[in-house]
Amino acid sequence: GQQVQQSPASLVLQEGENAELQCNFSSTATQLQWFYQSPGGSLVSLLSNPSGTKHTGRLTSTTVTKERRSSLHISSSQTTDSGTYLCALITGNTGKLIFGLGTTLQVQP
Amino acid sequence: EAAVTQSPRNKVAVTGGKVTLSCNQTNNHNNMYWYRQDTGHGLRLIHYSYGAGSTEKGDIPDGYKASRPSQENFSLILELATPSQTSVYFCASGEGQGGNTLYFGAGTRLSVL
């Protein structure tokens, strides 16, 4: 089965609302990363967060390693936040990333 | 800022033809990766490399070969392209070890007719 599961699959918000994205994984992660992919575009790393809570700008990620879950909170969403958010984990020391299917976020004005 | 450049950006190939996708990174990263992205499957790892001369099989290597002639360059080769290989291909690089951040190229959209 899928080693990395993300929910919800899609999310529609009004500008200014907050978003909460979830990632659950079945393997022990040595690293967990959140990526943003613009529509039809490439991937950009947002946060690396193997455990605990990390902040950058309007983004907060909380990873509870024992429970094999991570969340990404986007505060005060903007239309430019629209796109797909991907969770990926690294197991072991190979540096190989295993991706979830993503959450597609649409922020309406 | 890490730079990963893929070429071509778009490619149309015929079934049975040979296709080479190229990737160049200018950050002296040890590790490089080739992924394909398909609706319903997400990103899946095809081949990866730990450095010049090294290639390793990823999760879906069948029908693909890889070549890492130098630290900067990593190619993905489809010797006999099939329509099932129509996809968007992404190259990425990273420093290596368990905690490395990956930097992705812009992607190559391949259509095999």
Side-chain angles (χ1 to χ4, degrees):
Chain A
Q2 189 75 21
Q3 294 189 55
V4 182
Q5 294 183 322
Q6 293 188 243
S7 61
S10 63
L11 187 59
V12 180
L13 298 176
Q14 293 297 122
E15 197 167 27
E17 291 182 325
N18 299 330
E20 188 83 14
L21 282 57
Q22 302 291 338
C23 176
N24 293 276
F25 41 96
S26 57
S27 304
T28 302
T30 56
Q31 183 58 275
L32 188 130
Q33 293 186 15
W34 285 94
F35 289 85
Y36 168 77
Q37 185 174 28
S38 59
S42 186
L43 286 80
V44 175
S45 179
L46 297 172
L47 284 166
S48 292
N49 185 21
S51 66
T53 299
K54 285 196 174 180
H55 305 273
T56 181
R58 294 181 292 108
L59 304 178
T60 301
S61 172
T62 300
T63 299
V64 183
T65 310
K66 274 190 192 177
E67 298 179 12
R68 297 184 179 175
R69 60 178 175 87
S70 181
S71 64
L72 182 69
H73 181 87
I74 306 172
S75 63
S76 304
S77 63
Q78 301 173 1
T79 56
T80 51
D81 294 332
S82 298
T84 301
Y85 291 80
L86 295 160
C87 172
L89 65 88
I90 296 175
T91 60
N93 287 318
T94 64
K96 291 165 55 179
L97 281 172
I98 302 169
F99 284 86
L101 296 182
T103 293
T104 299
L105 174 65
Q106 183 181 354
V107 181
Q108 297 177 337
Chain B
E1 181 68 26
V4 180
T5 305
Q6 294 183 229
S7 63
R9 292 294 315 280
N10 293 281
K11 173 75 177 178
V12 179
V14 296
T15 298
K18 182 177 181 179
V19 177
T20 300
L21 307 183
S22 299
C23 179
N24 175 274
Q25 54 102 359
T26 57
N27 301 286
N28 200 32
H29 285 162
N30 290 325
N31 291 12
M32 296 186 75
Y33 309 83
W34 276 106
Y35 286 87
R36 63 178 283 178
Q37 186 176 35
D38 304 283
T39 303
H41 290 281
L43 280 143
R44 292 178 291 173
L45 181 64
I46 306 170
H47 284 288
Y48 60 104
S49 168
Y50 291 125
S54 125
T55 60
E56 306 289 335
K57 292 181 179 180
D59 299 320
I60 53 163
D62 293 346
Y64 302 93
K65 288 171 57 177
S67 174
R68 182 87 182 268
S70 64
Q71 182 80 339
E72 297 79 18
N73 295 295
F74 190 38
S75 298
L76 186 68
I77 303 151
L78 291 67
E79 295 277 5
L80 293 169
T82 68
S84 65
Q85 294 174 313
T86 293
S87 186
V88 180
Y89 292 84
F90 287 99
C91 175
S93 74
E95 292 171 352
Q97 298 131 25
N100 80 141
T101 295
L102 262 60
Y103 297 89
F104 280 80
T108 294
R109 188 171 296 274
L110 173 65
S111 295
V112 182
L113 306 178

